[in-house]
C-alpha cells in the first residue's frame, strides 16, 4: 500500500476504537463471514438474523456486486482507476484485488474514517508492483478533502469509477448525501462512473431490521425506497441492465446463492 499522509498512527487509531457499540463495518464483516468483529456486533447480528435472515443476503449480495461491477468496468470499459468511499473492513475480493487481478496497473484509493478499518488497511490493502493502492482517512461529507487527497494518486485527466457501496444509508438526510455524490462526480472527468448500491425498504423484514439495528445503539443506517436511491444517477447514462436488484445486475453463478428478491438495489452510471 502506498501510505497516505492522512492515515494516523496506530496509537491514535486504537484510541478511537469503540468496542461497546455495534458498528456497521464490523457488523457487515460478521455477516459475510469475516473475523474482524466484536461480541457486541455478533449479538446484534444474531438478533436480527433470528427474525430476518434476509439481511445476510443483503450483505453477501453487496460483496458480489462489488466483484461483478469492478470486473465489468475493468474488462468492458477499460477502467483502471477506482475511488472507493466508505470501503468498510477488508475481506475477500476487495476492490483492488478484483481490479488488479485483471489489470495489474489499476490504481485504487480507499476512503473511510472508521478506526478499525484504518487499522486493517495498513496491513491488508496491498498493491501489485505495477499498480497503486492508497488509503485516505476522511469523512464522507468532505468531498473537497476526498478529491484533493485522491488526486495525489489518481489521474483526474482519465476516467475514475466512484464506488459508494452500502454507505449512503448512514446519511440521516439523504438530500445531503445526494449533494455529496454530486460534488464528488463534479470533480471527476468525463467518462467517469458512479457505482452505488444500498439497502431498500422493499420488505417488512428489512424495515424491522433497520429499526432493530438503530435501537441497538449503533450509528443508524436508513433503508430507503429504490426510486430515491435511483435519483442519484440523474444526468448519467446507465449501464445495462440499469438500476436493479443486486441479484439481477450481470448475474453469474454466485448470484444464485442469494435471494432473487434481495432487499438491495444498485447500478452504474456514466458521466458524459
Amino acid at each position: 500500500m502506498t501510505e497516505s499522509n492522512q492515515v494516523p498512527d496506530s496509537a491514535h487509531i486504537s484510541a478511537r476504537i469503540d468496542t461497546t457499540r455495534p458498528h456497521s463495518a464490523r457488523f457487515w464483516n460478521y455477516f459475510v463471514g469475516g473475523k474482524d468483529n466484536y461480541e457486541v456486533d455478533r449479538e446484534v447480528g444474531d438478533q436480527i438474523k433470528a427474525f430476518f435472515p434476509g439481511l445476510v443476503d443483503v450483505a453477501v449480495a453487496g460483496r458480489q456486486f462489488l466483484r461483478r461491477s469492478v470486473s465489468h468496468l475493468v474488462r468492458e470499459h477499460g477502467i483502471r482507476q477506482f475511488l472507493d468511499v466508505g470501503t468498510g473492513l477488508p475481506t475477500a475480493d476487495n476492490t483492488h484485488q478484483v481490479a488488479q487481478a485483471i489489470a495489474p496497473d489499476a490504481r485504487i484509493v480507499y476512503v473511510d474514517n472508521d478506526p478499525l478499518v484504518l487499522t486493517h488497511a495498513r496491513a491488508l490493502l496491498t498493491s501489485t508492483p505495477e499498480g497503486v493502492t492508497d488509503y485516505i482517512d476522511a469523512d464522507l461529507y468532505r468531498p473537497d478533502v476526498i478529491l484533493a487527497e485522491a488526486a495525489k494518486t489518481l489521474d483526474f485527466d482519465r476516467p475514475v469509477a466512484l464506488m459508494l457501496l452500502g454507505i449512503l444509508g448512514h446519511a440521516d438526510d439523504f438530500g445531503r448525501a445526494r449533494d455529496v455524490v454530486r460534488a464528488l462526480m463534479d470533480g471527476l472527468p468525463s467518462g467517469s462512473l458512479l457505482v452505488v448500491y444500498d439497502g431498500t425498504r422493499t420488505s417488512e423484514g428489512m424495515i424491522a431490521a433497520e429499526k432493530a439495528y438503530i435501537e441497538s445503539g449503533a450509528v443508524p443506517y436508513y433503508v430507503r425506497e429504490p426510486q430515491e436511491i435511483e435519483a442519484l444517477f440523474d444526468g448519467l447514462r446507465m449501464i445495462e441492465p440499469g438500476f436493479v436488484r443486486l441479484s439481477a445486475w450481470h448475474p453469474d453463478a454466485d448470484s444464485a446463492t442469494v435471494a432473487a428478491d434481495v432487499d438491495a438495489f444498485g447500478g452504474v452510471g456514466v458521466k458524459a
Side-chain angles (χ1 to χ4, degrees), residues 93-114:
D93 292 336
N94 300 294
T95 298
H96 73 288
Q97 294 169 321
V98 177
Q100 292 179 346
I102 304 168
D105 61 337
R107 304 171 75 85
I108 294 88
V109 171
Y110 292 100
V111 182
D112 210 305
N113 68 342
D114 177 75

Side-chain angles (χ1 to χ4, degrees), residues 157-220:
D157 289 327
R158 299 169 53 216
V160 176
L162 171 63
M163 316 281 290
L164 292 159
L165 305 183
I167 182 65
L168 296 177
H170 287 299
D172 58 355
D173 181 347
F174 199 66
R176 186 183 178 199
R178 183 182 60 242
D179 291 343
V180 168
V181 174
R182 289 176 177 171
L184 289 170
M185 288 302 295
D186 284 348
L188 299 178
S190 175
S192 292
L193 303 105
L194 174 63
V195 187
V196 169
Y197 95 78
D198 259 304
T200 51
R201 298 178 65 83
T202 39
S203 76
E204 292 300 320
M206 188 63 164
I207 295 169
E210 173 199 52
K211 183 174 184 291
Y213 184 71
I214 293 173
E215 291 178 348
S216 73
V219 175

Side-chain angles (χ1 to χ4, degrees), residues 39-115:
E39 183 177 356
V40 64
D41 308 300
R42 296 188 290 273
E43 285 178 353
V44 174
D46 290 342
Q47 173 192 345
I48 294 176
K49 280 195 297 183
F51 69 84
F52 183 55
L55 193 59
V56 177
D57 277 348
V58 173
V60 173
R63 295 304 297 183
Q64 293 177 354
F65 177 68
L66 184 156
R67 177 180 53 76
R68 297 199 306 271
S69 60
V70 170
S71 297
H72 184 82
L73 293 184
V74 173
R75 294 184 190 278
E76 305 300 327
H77 296 268
I79 298 299
R80 296 296 183 270
Q81 302 191 110
F82 294 84
L83 178 57
D84 188 338
V85 180
T87 180
L89 283 166
T91 55
D93 292 336
N94 300 294
T95 298
H96 73 288
Q97 294 169 321
V98 177
Q100 292 179 346
I102 304 168
D105 61 337
R107 304 171 75 85
I108 294 88
V109 171
Y110 292 100
V111 182
D112 210 305
N113 68 342
D114 177 75

Side-chain angles (χ1 to χ4, degrees), residues 4-6 107 109 134 147-156:
S4 169
N5 59 13
Q6 290 290 310
R107 304 171 75 85
V109 171
D134 206 350
L147 290 169
E149 291 297 324
K152 298 176 182 178
T153 299
L154 305 178
D155 178 1
F156 280 10

Side-chain angles (χ1 to χ4, degrees), residues 25-46:
R26 304 188 310 244
F27 176 81
W28 232 230
N29 176 266
Y30 174 52
F31 272 6
V32 298
K35 305 298 183 183
D36 299 312
N37 47 74
Y38 293 99
E39 183 177 356
V40 64
D41 308 300
R42 296 188 290 273
E43 285 178 353
V44 174
D46 290 342

